Amino acid sequence: MPTGFSADEMQKLDDMVEKRRRIKQGELLFSSGDEFVSLYAIRVGFFKTCVSSEDGREQVTGFQMAGEIIGMDGIVSDHHNCNAIALEDAEVCVMPFSDIEHLSRELPALQRNVHKIMSREIVRENSVMMLLGNMRAEERLAAFLLNLVQRLHARGLSQSELVLRMTREEIGSYLGLKLETVSRAFSKFSEDGIIEVKQRYVRIVEPDALKKIFNPQTYY
Amino acid sequence: MPTGFSADEMQKLDDMVEKRRRIKQGELLFSSGDEFVSLYAIRVGFFKTCVSSEDGREQVTGFQMAGEIIGMDGIVSDHHNCNAIALEDAEVCVMPFSDIEHLSRELPALQRNVHKIMSREIVRENSVMMLLGNMRAEERLAAFLLNLVQRLHARGLSQSELVLRMTREEIGSYLGLKLETVSRAFSKFSEDGIIEVKQRYVRIVEPDALKKIFNPQTYY
DNA sequence: TATTATTTTTGACATGCATCAAAGCTATAA
DNA sequence: TTATAGCTTTGATGCATGTCAAAAATAATA
């Protein structure tokens, strides 16, 4: 959240985000069909969002970490359109959307922020579409790992080490691959000395090699 | 746009959308990297939006028709993040985003509308992710055709006949398929008597059969 | 009209990933 | 410790879609 607010304005923002909610690993923050009331700012923990078709196929649409906002899918129809599941014990700020709308009429900086957050999600989904539509398995996994460490690094964590919060199956669902294919791609990267993997722990040994796989052209 | 505005408010809305722009077939409304200034409401015509990776692969991220809003990808970074290309001669309303933000502070109904439009785009992209991640070629094409006629029907056009504004290759790019695969799926549907195809013209003979292909479970 | 370019269709073949299966590993509980 | 369940790895095989190629249909241009 940007700064530049007066004390009074800060107070109103604080009031809006005062309510907290804890979600244990495996529990739902919201699910498809729930009435939409609030956006959620993740304080601690890690989530996945997923949609499922009527015949039971599931698509993970994103992984969200601390500092990210979740729930914008619900605005259009006043009902949530996906499930949000905690991949580890988590805590969120509950931000009633009517409060957000009300307050952002007074605070242009907040208004702008809300717009940017939604636009960022649209742009993110655009690049997932590129990934799903055009990339091969190893490119997808490289893109996924690079994106994860980049976001973790932006939160002050390592840019070379990470602990995956999700299973191979969930990664596969996000990347449009089967879990076996994800596992094989991990093994391949490991054999090639690009990463070290031990279950959920991953260390990126050769980030440039990963980037080259993700985007061959830049390194012709 | 919803109603319920006063005469004064309607005037402000009118002022905001007064500027028009014509785009000929094949021309760009905006392209990736352009400074973001305005959203565009399509008055007439048909667009595609696409992103391209540095090594030249292209992904069509959507097809937009009259009455739809385009350009929200630009908000997050103040620069557009995709290309918008007219698939037929088109005309749009230019809506400066600063005006939209300013006015939506006064008009809650407008504010709500802007939020819904962005949320709708997020939800749409979620279902494209499902399509790209989980569905097979014929399911994708069935979903695509059903979505198109549904949107055309909502505009007062036929729910069984349509003229495609895009090539097989563009359909394929949107659906994560090669043009040959799209062509084969069209032929298959045609052989099975589900649709009639003649180049860009398509008539849906058996909508239920299409829905069944799109979503087998509902019809077990 | 003839000519050229673009788009679409169809066939033959190749391949990347899915599927099926089994074993190994890890974590949790008894 | 042993037992159980869940997750991951690896191998063998199959299939849906990609690739390559050529012809047909259509549209654009001279």
Side-chain angles (χ1 to χ4, degrees):
Chain A
M1 183 58 65
T3 50
F5 294 113
S6 72
D8 176 52
E9 289 166 349
M10 279 306 295
Q11 185 56 51
K12 287 178 176 170
L13 284 166
D14 278 352
D15 292 347
M16 183 178 72
V17 300
E18 107 196 294
K19 197 174 158 200
R20 299 289 152 77
R21 186 171 149 198
R22 289 175 186 281
I23 305 95
K24 286 204 183 297
Q25 183 172 359
E27 289 183 353
L28 285 154
L29 171 57
F30 55 79
S31 52
S32 198
D34 285 358
E35 193 187 356
F36 168 72
V37 179
S38 304
L39 297 182
Y40 304 95
I42 303 173
R43 288 172 52 84
V44 300
F46 204 93
F47 286 84
K48 71 169 177 180
T49 46
C50 52
V51 292
S52 40
S53 64
E54 296 183 35
D55 56 325
R57 284 179 282 192
E58 197 169 279
Q59 174 71 35
V60 171
T61 55
F63 296 108
Q64 297 82 15
M65 57 180 69
E68 296 178 335
I69 308 293
I70 194 171
M72 279 121 22
D73 57 280
I75 299 169
V76 61
S77 64
D78 294 316
H79 289 81
H80 282 289
N81 203 270
C82 65
N83 302 311
I85 297 164
L87 296 179
E88 58 182 1
D89 290 356
E91 186 182 333
V92 300
C93 287
V94 180
M95 307 185 293
F97 192 61
S98 58
D99 292 359
I100 293 176
E101 288 192 321
H102 189 81
L103 203 50
S104 70
R105 277 175 230 142
E106 299 173 25
L107 304 180
L110 173 63
Q111 179 191 41
R112 170 55 58 106
N113 211 248
V114 171
H115 292 154
K116 291 209 179 210
I117 285 164
M118 298 185 73
S119 174
R120 181 175 301 118
E121 179 66 4
I122 290 169
V123 169
R124 180 189 73 81
E125 295 195 9
N126 279 349
S127 41
V128 176
M129 287 171 70
M130 166 63 82
L131 180 148
L132 292 171
N134 278 293
M135 291 163 73
R136 356 183 62 240
E138 289 178 19
E139 296 178 287
R140 295 184 199 193
L141 186 63
F144 171 73
L145 291 173
L146 288 169
N147 176 268
L148 265 191
V149 287
Q150 176 250 308
R151 284 154 68 198
L152 293 168
H153 188 52
R155 284 157 179 77
L157 299 173
S158 169
Q159 56 186 321
S160 61
E161 290 185 294
L162 68 155
V163 176
L164 299 170
R165 255 59 248 212
M166 68 296 279
T167 67
R168 302 288 190 262
E169 185 168 22
E170 286 162 336
I171 296 172
S173 174
Y174 183 59
L175 300 180
L177 301 170
K178 293 294 159 183
L179 68 96
E180 295 94 330
T181 305
V182 174
S183 177
R184 280 182 237 270
F186 268 118
S187 299
K188 178 65 162 41
F189 288 170
S190 183
E191 283 162 27
D192 294 350
I194 295 171
I195 64 175
E196 285 172 19
V197 194
K198 190 163 186 189
Q199 294 286 117
R200 303 284 178 99
Y201 167 85
V202 177
R203 190 166 80 85
I204 296 175
V205 182
E206 298 284 358
D208 285 352
L210 264 195
K211 286 172 197 155
K212 190 169 171 177
I213 290 166
F214 166 48
N215 187 350
Q217 199 55 23
T218 315
Y219 296 77
Y220 50 93
Chain B
M1 180 61 63
T3 50
F5 294 112
S6 71
D8 176 52
E9 289 165 348
M10 279 306 295
Q11 185 56 52
K12 287 177 177 171
L13 284 167
D14 278 352
D15 290 348
M16 183 179 73
V17 301
E18 103 194 296
K19 199 174 154 199
R20 300 287 155 78
R21 187 171 146 196
R22 290 175 184 281
I23 306 94
K24 284 204 184 297
Q25 182 172 1
E27 288 183 353
L28 285 153
L29 172 57
F30 55 79
S31 52
S32 198
D34 285 358
E35 192 185 359
F36 167 72
V37 179
S38 303
L39 297 182
Y40 303 94
I42 303 173
R43 287 173 52 85
V44 301
F46 204 93
F47 286 84
K48 69 169 178 182
T49 47
C50 52
V51 292
S52 39
S53 64
E54 297 185 32
D55 55 325
R57 284 179 283 192
E58 198 168 277
Q59 174 71 35
V60 171
T61 56
F63 296 108
Q64 297 82 17
M65 57 181 70
E68 296 178 333
I69 308 292
I70 194 171
M72 278 115 35
D73 57 280
I75 299 169
V76 61
S77 63
D78 294 316
H79 289 82
H80 282 289
N81 203 268
C82 65
N83 302 311
I85 297 164
L87 296 179
E88 58 183 359
D89 291 356
E91 185 181 332
V92 299
C93 286
V94 180
M95 306 185 293
F97 192 62
S98 58
D99 292 359
I100 293 176
E101 287 192 321
H102 189 81
L103 203 51
S104 68
R105 277 175 231 142
E106 300 175 25
L107 305 180
L110 174 62
Q111 180 192 39
R112 170 54 58 106
N113 210 247
V114 170
H115 292 156
K116 291 211 178 209
I117 286 164
M118 296 185 75
S119 175
R120 180 175 299 120
E121 179 66 5
I122 290 169
V123 169
R124 181 190 71 83
E125 296 196 9
N126 279 349
S127 42
V128 176
M129 287 170 70
M130 166 63 83
L131 180 148
L132 292 171
N134 279 294
M135 292 164 73
R136 356 179 71 231
E138 288 177 20
E139 295 177 289
R140 296 184 198 192
L141 185 63
F144 171 74
L145 291 173
L146 287 169
N147 176 268
L148 265 192
V149 285
Q150 176 250 309
R151 284 154 68 199
L152 291 168
H153 187 53
R155 284 160 179 76
L157 299 173
S158 167
Q159 56 186 323
S160 61
E161 291 185 292
L162 68 157
V163 176
L164 300 169
R165 255 57 245 213
M166 68 295 279
T167 67
R168 302 289 189 261
E169 184 168 24
E170 287 163 335
I171 296 171
S173 174
Y174 183 59
L175 299 179
L177 301 170
K178 294 294 160 182
L179 69 97
E180 294 94 331
T181 305
V182 174
S183 177
R184 279 183 237 271
F186 268 117
S187 299
K188 178 67 163 41
F189 289 169
S190 183
E191 283 161 27
D192 293 351
I194 296 170
I195 63 175
E196 285 173 18
V197 195
K198 190 163 188 189
Q199 293 288 116
R200 303 284 178 99
Y201 167 85
V202 178
R203 188 166 82 86
I204 297 176
V205 181
E206 297 284 357
D208 285 350
L210 263 195
K211 284 171 197 155
K212 189 169 173 177
I213 290 167
F214 166 49
N215 188 350
Q217 199 57 22
T218 314
Y219 296 78
Y220 51 92

